[in-house]
Amino acid sequence: LMLCETCDSVFCTLCTGGSHVPEEEEGNNNQASTADHTVIPLSIARKRMSEIVIYKANECSSKLNSADSIVNEEIDRLEHLADAAFNSVNRLFEELGDVMEKKRIEVVADVRRRKDEKRVVLEQQLKQIEAEKSDVQANVTTIKHQVDVKNVTTRISELNCKLEAISQLSEPRENSYIEFHRIGDKSFEASVNRLLKDIGRIKTSKTFPSLCRATMET
C-alpha cells in the first residue's frame, strides 16, 4: 500500500498499476495528471505520522507544564499580596480600636471623677454626722453625772439647738444621680458606617499578568 501525500489517499500499486486517480479526476483518462504527486509507502507514512504525533504531544505537555507552573506562581503571588492586604486592614482597624479605647478610657475617667466628687461631699457629711453623734453621746454621759439643775438646763437648751442643726444633716448635700446619656439617644451604627465608608478601598486588576509586568535588563 502506498500513500499519496498530495491528495491524502491510500492506494494499492497492484490494483492501480502503480498509479492512482483522485476522486475529482475520475473519468479523466490522463494518467500523467498524478505524476507530480508525492507518493510514499504507507508504513513509512505511519511511522512519520507517529513521530509527529509524539513530538506534538510532548510539545503540548511541555507547554501545559509551563502553564501549570506560571498559574501556580500567580496563585502564590495572590496569596502573598492578599496576606499583605489582610495585614493592612488589621493594622487600620487596630488603630481605630486604639482611638476608640482611648475615648472609652476618657469617658470612664470622667464618670469616675464626677462620682468621686459626689462621694467626697457625702463622706464629709458622714464625718460631720459622726462628730455630732459623738458630741451628743458626750452630753448624755455628762448629764447622767450632773447634779446641778442649772447645768442640766443648759445642756437641754444646747441639745434643742443641736436638733435643728441635725435636721439639716438628714438632707444629703449631694445626690446619687449619675448616668451616661447618649447624645440624641440614637444608634451610632449608621454614623460609624458612614465614617468608615471612605476609610479605604480594595484595588484589583483584570489585566493578564504578562501585561502587568515589565522586565528590564540591568
Side-chain angles (χ1 to χ4, degrees), residues 195-215:
L195 289 174
L196 297 180
K197 182 178 180 180
D198 298 326
I199 201 169
R201 63 191 183 93
I202 302 171
K203 297 177 65 177
T204 60
S205 171
K206 293 294 185 180
T207 307
F208 290 144
S210 60
L211 302 177
C212 291
R213 304 181 184 94
T215 303

Side-chain angles (χ1 to χ4, degrees), residues 110-126:
D110 191 32
V111 172
R112 184 174 291 110
R113 178 182 61 81
R114 298 190 182 210
K115 181 208 74 171
D116 291 341
E117 290 175 353
K118 287 176 173 288
R119 188 179 181 88
V120 166
V121 173
L122 293 171
E123 287 179 346
Q124 288 176 348
Q125 187 174 358
L126 280 176

Side-chain angles (χ1 to χ4, degrees), residues 4 6 19-22 24-26 28-37:
C4 176
T6 305
S19 183
H20 70 284
V21 179
E24 62 272 15
E25 296 182 8
E26 287 182 357
N28 187 351
N29 294 326
N30 185 8
Q31 297 297 324
S33 62
T34 60
D36 57 347
H37 288 197

Side-chain angles (χ1 to χ4, degrees), residues 1-5 8-13 38-51:
L1 295 177
M2 305 296 288
L3 172 67
C4 176
E5 293 183 335
D8 193 22
S9 64
V10 178
F11 64 93
C12 176
T13 55
T38 301
V39 178
I40 59 174
L42 181 60
S43 59
I44 295 177
R46 284 177 175 173
K47 182 179 179 182
R48 184 184 298 173
M49 289 179 180
S50 296
E51 292 174 351

Side-chain angles (χ1 to χ4, degrees), residues 122-140 159 162 165-166 169 173:
L122 293 171
E123 287 179 346
Q124 288 176 348
Q125 187 174 358
L126 280 176
K127 289 180 180 179
Q128 188 175 356
I129 291 171
E130 288 297 324
E132 294 293 343
K133 286 170 65 177
S134 299
D135 188 49
V136 169
Q137 189 63 37
N139 283 329
V140 170
L159 289 173
K162 192 177 289 294
I166 290 175
L169 292 176
R173 294 172 182 170

Side-chain angles (χ1 to χ4, degrees), residues 180-188:
F180 176 72
H181 184 65
R182 298 169 64 162
I183 298 175
D185 196 24
K186 63 181 179 179
S187 171
F188 285 92

